[in-house]
Amino acid sequence: MSSLHTGGATAATAAPEAGRSPAALARVLLPSMLGLALARTGLIVGSYGSYNQTDLGIYTDGSMLATLAVMGVLLIILAASKRQLRRRTVTLLAELCILVETMLLMAQAAITLDGEPHGDALFALSMLLSLFSSGAMFYWLRRAKGCSGALAAIYVFGALIVSEVFLEALSLMPQATALFVAAAGSFAQLACLFLAFHARPLHTLNAQEGPHTYFGYTRTPVDDKRFLVSTAIGIGLLAIVIGLLRGYPDGLPIAFSEGERLGYAGLTIVVSAVIVYFMARGNRRTMTMGIWVVLELLACAALIAYAAFPQALGHGALFATTVNALMVGLVWYTVVAFESHGWRDPYYYALAGWIVWLGCRGVARTGLLVIYPFAANDLVVNAVMGLMLLVSTQVVFSCCLRDADSLRQLPAEADAAPAAAGSGEGAVAGGAAMAGSGSGAGASAADGAAPLDALHPAAGPSAEEIRASVLEAMARDDAPPSPFAAAEGATAPAPNRPATAASPAAATAAASMAAPARRQAGPQFSRLMGLDVESAPVATRQPTLARGVEEMGRRFMLSEREIEVLTLYALGYTQKRVAEELFISPGTAHTHIKRIYAKTGMHSRQDILDYLEAYGS
């Protein structure tokens, strides 16, 4: 987490705290949440016309497409470098984006007061505003890297609610006045940045209740990664629908009446508050099936309203703009999820999220604006929106159905696991039983609330039972020989080694986690998105692995020195290099590594990497 802009080493290394009061969480979240809300407010006022209408047409999606071209170049640079930006660089970039956003809003206010068209100047200012306002939002999203899923939802949708309150107030002002006020608000982000710098980092906090995995319907970080792929595809497809809805039917902006504007803001705030409530209370499907059902229903409501009130398009635009705003929250949340799972720099994931979400939306919107005059046909537009809506949701739901199928298989697997354990044929993948004690997500398929206490393994298998399950898995899976085997004579257990009988509790936990470990994203996509920790450069792997190794140390009761040794060893350091880095003798390093293998029941570096990849933080 070294790339985060945090308030000192003590705070950065503080252990997560569960059970904090809502008031305490609010005090810590408020500076960053307010900063994110102000950054979005500046963008909406300057490039969307304060949502007095769906947008400003070409000055919104057209300028955003030009901005995304610049973002694409930055994305390629980050992908090629494979580096994490330094903390000081991140801070300077955030300050630069905030200051430039402020100046651009003031320049737009001056042009508005002038009364002349200045179309080219407004387009250029809107493009630059989209770039630097997005950069400010990227910083505030970066601060949420590594926090729990429930806390991430509270953070992003809370910021969305605050920004909607600001926008509703600004929509009542003349545009020039709204731009000046938005500029002042943008400048106030510097104060938020100062307060956030001295507050605890968000990743050291936990919401009082709620799921810890980002897609709480899933059971392991491996499932989370797979669901990230489906979510990204669904976002791109639904963005096409939103682009068409916001300019229905000819691509031009749709104006709001005062009632419609108030209805849009109220609906967005209410739905966002409901999402926050259910995530905080532990509903594990809120950010999977729940939010997609809501988005689908609102998009369908927009289509129906457009068809029912062709002379009052603002009725349909009310729902279309609500979908657009809620998609902002979902994209924010997904960016935080990618940042927390992948080893690439957080800006990489923010840029990629913007390109997928706003790129698809902008292409659809500008395409409609260009094509409609030549082939005006509302039925075709409706059919395309219906198709994209169907496909986008089905991509996500198919992922949920696969998880449901695996959950139905758990009883049979759990029944088979004790028998396999008793015969010496382990029934779990390496480290699988341990996932139940740290994934933060329950394996229950039931809907509804599940308090955080229920998601932790208070009544789960003991350390000895877990260790027995791991040993059985190692014997069965023919684990690769230890890197120390050739040089130091360390050998893996013989295939006919007697297996320690695991309890039904350990076997059940092992069986429940075995299936997800086999369903990982393809290697090419994993490398592209930075979800494969083992292929990351050492300098960028270390922040990603550190939390997983620390959690692994707590689970297996490793000493502080053993955790330090394990961190370097998982990064690929040789025994001699570990000794040099920690200023200890090679014999001492060798002893620590032998103890790590003994405590964890693992026999090779690959076993450790597989465990961290499948069940680490």
Side-chain angles (χ1 to χ4, degrees), residues 215 218 221-237 292 334 337-338 341 349 356 391-392 394-399 402 519-531:
F215 299 102
T218 60
V222 174
D223 282 341
D224 267 357
K225 292 178 182 180
R226 181 171 51 82
F227 206 95
L228 279 172
V229 179
S230 299
T231 301
I233 296 172
I235 286 173
L237 294 173
W292 284 95
T334 306
F338 267 104
H341 280 81
Y349 299 109
V356 171
V391 174
S392 64
Q394 291 307 313
V395 166
V396 178
F397 290 170
S398 63
C399 217
R402 285 196 300 270
R519 297 195 307 267
Q520 301 189 37
Q524 296 298 331
F525 184 85
S526 294
R527 283 193 288 271
L528 174 65
M529 298 311 300
L531 299 177

Side-chain angles (χ1 to χ4, degrees), residues 172-529:
L172 303 176
M173 303 177 186
Q175 183 64 10
T177 304
L179 286 165
F180 277 120
V181 174
S186 177
F187 189 75
Q189 289 180 73
L190 293 176
C192 296
L193 192 152
F194 176 81
L195 295 173
F197 179 81
H198 291 87
R200 293 189 56 177
L202 300 186
H203 73 271
T204 66
L205 305 173
N206 280 332
Q208 187 171 7
E209 296 178 340
H212 279 218
T213 56
Y214 286 88
F215 299 102
Y217 177 84
T218 60
R219 298 179 307 250
T220 71
V222 174
D223 282 341
D224 267 357
K225 292 178 182 180
R226 181 171 51 82
F227 206 95
L228 279 172
V229 179
S230 299
T231 301
I233 296 172
I235 286 173
L237 294 173
L238 190 53
I240 296 174
V241 177
I242 294 173
L244 298 175
L245 285 174
R246 288 167 67 244
Y248 182 88
D250 54 5
L252 297 176
I254 302 172
F256 286 126
S257 66
E258 290 185 8
E260 290 164 347
R261 176 67 182 83
L262 182 62
Y264 145 73
L267 185 58
T268 301
I269 291 171
V270 169
V271 174
S272 298
V274 170
I275 291 172
V276 168
Y277 173 79
F278 278 109
M279 279 295 287
R281 295 300 299 172
N283 190 301
R284 297 187 300 276
R285 297 188 180 184
T286 302
M287 294 309 297
T288 53
M289 296 183 70
I291 192 168
W292 284 95
V293 168
V294 170
L295 292 172
E296 183 180 34
L297 290 176
L298 288 170
C300 290
L303 285 171
I304 294 171
Y306 281 141
F309 305 101
Q311 304 304 319
L313 294 178
H315 295 356
L318 183 157
F319 296 104
T321 310
T322 301
V323 176
N324 182 77
L326 293 174
M327 276 288 289
V328 171
L330 176 59
V331 171
W332 285 350
Y333 185 86
T334 306
V335 167
V336 173
F338 267 104
E339 291 176 353
S340 302
H341 280 81
W343 55 263
R344 292 186 183 274
D345 188 87
Y347 281 138
Y348 176 90
Y349 299 109
L351 290 166
W354 253 239
I355 291 173
V356 171
W357 150 232
L358 296 173
C360 293
R361 191 193 73 181
V363 167
R365 176 63 182 282
T366 54
L368 181 61
L369 190 65
V370 172
I371 295 173
Y372 189 84
F374 302 99
N377 192 328
D378 297 355
L379 293 177
V380 172
V381 175
N382 289 338
V384 170
M385 288 191 288
L387 175 62
M388 293 295 102
L389 186 62
L390 175 65
V391 174
S392 64
T393 51
Q394 291 307 313
V395 166
V396 178
F397 290 170
S398 63
C399 217
C400 297
L401 291 174
R402 285 196 300 270
D403 280 341
D405 288 339
S406 67
L407 285 168
R408 285 194 292 270
Q409 296 171 6
L410 293 186
E413 294 179 359
D415 292 340
S423 65
E425 300 174 358
V428 296
M434 285 304 301
S437 66
S439 68
S444 171
D447 289 323
L452 182 59
D453 292 343
L455 304 176
H456 284 277
S462 67
E464 290 303 319
E465 293 169 338
I466 291 168
R467 191 168 299 165
S469 297
V470 172
L471 289 172
E472 293 159 12
M474 296 305 106
R476 184 203 65 187
D477 289 337
D478 298 324
S482 165
F484 300 119
E488 298 155 15
T491 59
N496 59 355
R497 170 180 175 172
T500 305
S503 73
T508 300
S512 68
M513 307 309 296
R518 293 191 295 265
R519 297 195 307 267
Q520 301 189 37
Q524 296 298 331
F525 184 85
S526 294
R527 283 193 288 271
L528 174 65
M529 298 311 300

